[in-house]
Amino acid sequence: MPEVVASGARWRVERDEHGIARCVGRGLDDLAYAQGWACAHDRAWQVETDRRRSTGGLADWLGDESCRGVDELASRARLDALALRCWARLHEEEPEVAAWLQAYVDGVNDGMQVGAARSPEMAAARVQPGRWAPWSPIGVFLVNHVLFGSYPHELWREHVEGVLGERWADVLAPAHGHPALSGSNAWAVTPSRSATGAPLLAADPHRLLECPGIYQQVHLVAEEDGVDVLGLAFPGVPGVPHFGHTGDVAWVITNAMAHYQELVDDGPQVEEATDGPVVLDPVAGRPARRLRTPAWVGSRVGVRAWRDLLLAHDVEDVDAALEHWVEPVNAVLVADSTGQVLERVAGLTAAGPTTRTTRVVPDGSVAVHANHASALTAPWGRAFAPDHRARRVASLLEPHSQVTLDDCAQIQRDAVSGSWPVLRGLLARPVVGRGLDPAEAQVREELLGFDGAMVAASEGAALAARFRLHLAQAVLDDPELLPLRAETGLPPLYAPWTDPLVRVTTSLERVVERGEGLGLALEPATRAALHAVAAEGRPATWGELHRVLPLVPPGSTTPRLRTPVSGADDAVCATSTHTGTGHDVVRGPAARVLWDLGDRSRSRWVVPFGADGVLDAPHALDQAPLWAAGTTLPVPTGDPMTVTIPLPGGAAASARLLDPRGDAALVHRWVTQPRGRFWGMGDQSVEEVAQTYEYVASLPAHDAYLVHVDGRPCALVQLYDPAQDPLGEVVEVREGDLGLHLFVGPGAAAVAGLDRTETAMIAAMRLAFGRAGVRRVVAEPDERNVAMMRRLAQAGADIGERIRVHDKDARYVVLDRAAFERAEARVLAASVARV
């Protein structure tokens, strides 16, 4: 059952088995208060550092000069003053929306002391949180998006034009098909193309991988206002502005790549009131420049849209809410339970509104957004991502006449590199193969045979990535491109956007296609790259090189995840590095959502790390293995009698409390078969089975669950407190121990390459470890049950001493959480190989 964390007269905050907050309020303002309280409780350090960044005061608060660059940008851009201006206009013109925002801030302030007490970072830094102002959430939203627009990319193009000329800018910083621009995907499947007969929405926004994550799963309920929304919140900001599902309607976004920020040359004819504050000093012959944004020009940031989305019940409601959106400019897909599907661009540019662009997606088709220049987005921008991902998603959807959520989940995991065919074509040139030594020739032969799939288990993917990086280094050493290494004169804050090696690496496809026409010697560079790869020695899998290295707030410890992942910056699963000197993943899917408009309970989601922002908390990193494997969690159903359990391949199991009478016949069929001899109930009648489980249900420390997969009963799982069981009389029970009995049903289903016992075992163990405070699962199988003990050992369990318990000779089996997770990862990897 959900755990109630805190409550008041008109609000409460609950947790599900994954630590995801369910915020409940009588009315909409009560809900905002509950969401603010939950955010401060779970993410105190994250949101307080964001608030300090928005005011330009983080470095002074922490005494950490490494924060000074972002502080200076926030101060120059006057983000705190802008947030105050937006609040003042909101308070004057839309008081009911201002009251909602104020209620959220009240919740943050009241929850912050509890949250700060949970924060090891605040204790280590010996700092205390400040009090949030009504406009602080606006500041948090602004500081998280000030570098999200196109102007940092324009600075790179200016540098290329300045040192190499415009001809090279079209290669390394093209207006269309710029490979360094974003990586998000979203698509909509209309009813007649959907296996459920209702629309499906899929999305995986690719951003910097921050821990705690930039997106926080929440379930928001306002009882008196008919609000019941699942979605992804920005910590520090109320509502679910980017990804939400109300039950009747759902929405997802990608970056529309709009040119909504303007760098304006400073001079006597410009004014801060209309042209924005000075953010750049004179550099490279350019005058100081101001940053003009739609929020600055209009003194609003779209808070009403955040609120109105919670009240939406159909496509028209979402469309109306998005009329109040300001920035960043998003490409939005919306679908509702009546079958309507709409795509639109939401937001403003610094110059004012553009032509309204919306399109009703006709039934029988799909709509794909991937930051590329489409008919919908092209009028808004100057620079777009290549269309690799959009074409790939569309091609993977095309064979499915009846698309399922599992199909969508599989597409989200797709790791095929869009640019590899061009690089392979370069390698295939006969002149490249001349004069290679045997080791270099072997590398070339293996690369020519590589299919471009950047999956974690692939040695070919690792080889291709190493070749790509060395080719970029060799290309950058060409005399034609050496001027790129010249200092830009820009503050260090902009280095990720202007690093020549990063930019050449991500632009290799266009460099290969056009570089030789500009004087670049590609074939010698290719041979040099092959030589460097051959000299590196032993082969590695892509997962050994391509591991998550998350960004953390100042003062935080980077979690020791080192999670291997699939993908590449030009794949649908767009995992990438900004270092240019290695392969650690700092950017990738910041969440995955799969929305079903026929039945919300079938929807699924996952985030890269977990729901909690305290890194040593049980739910801080518990979703990381699922995310890395490309799987998802079922969304909360809200039914306290049912627990949803994520399974590999995006599948799910459900576990409900056993009905002693209603399920007696089924259980009797199972336990009276010869395979049930170790369960000890083979001679019982149906009535006796019912009586046995009525007794079990009466025990306060013992629960029996019937687990279902694909709607079919899969297993009988009994969980109990071993300290209140005969087992506790013969073994030492530790804090955090949970006892388990498992019976795998004869008709159990299997998923994702697992056999039925593996499926049931994973479901049972995830059910057990999903309980708060559980550190070890303990069991006492009959010592003659060799098959079960072998399965338990495969699950990571320690098969211990012989014991006498429950009138049987048994083995004492102990499985701790970490051992299970390691074993589970091995089982899942093996299942993928089998598939």
Side-chain angles (χ1 to χ4, degrees), residues 551-627:
L551 304 179
V552 297
S556 297
T557 301
T558 302
R560 296 180 179 179
L561 285 172
R562 307 300 294 137
T563 308
V565 293
S566 300
D569 56 7
D570 59 353
V572 174
C573 182
T575 51
S576 60
T577 174
H578 283 178
T579 66
T581 58
H583 305 287
D584 284 329
V585 179
V586 298
R587 187 183 180 95
R592 294 187 181 99
V593 297
L594 297 162
W595 293 148
D596 188 326
L597 274 301
D599 181 350
R600 188 175 71 176
S601 68
R602 295 193 295 250
S603 299
R604 303 200 289 269
W605 58 5
V606 74
V607 293
F609 305 110
D612 205 329
V614 178
L615 291 185
D616 59 357
H619 298 297
L621 304 172
D622 58 332
Q623 295 184 49
L626 297 173
W627 174 88

Side-chain angles (χ1 to χ4, degrees), residues 761 765 769 777-779 781 788-800 812-824 826:
M761 184 75 72
M765 294 307 176
F769 283 117
V777 170
V778 300
M788 177 56 71
M789 283 189 283
R790 183 175 66 250
R791 292 290 192 166
L792 287 167
Q794 290 171 350
D798 178 21
I799 311 299
Y812 181 48
V813 175
V814 176
L815 175 60
D816 68 41
R817 185 187 296 271
F820 169 65
E821 290 175 351
R822 289 193 297 269
E824 181 186 45
R826 291 195 298 269

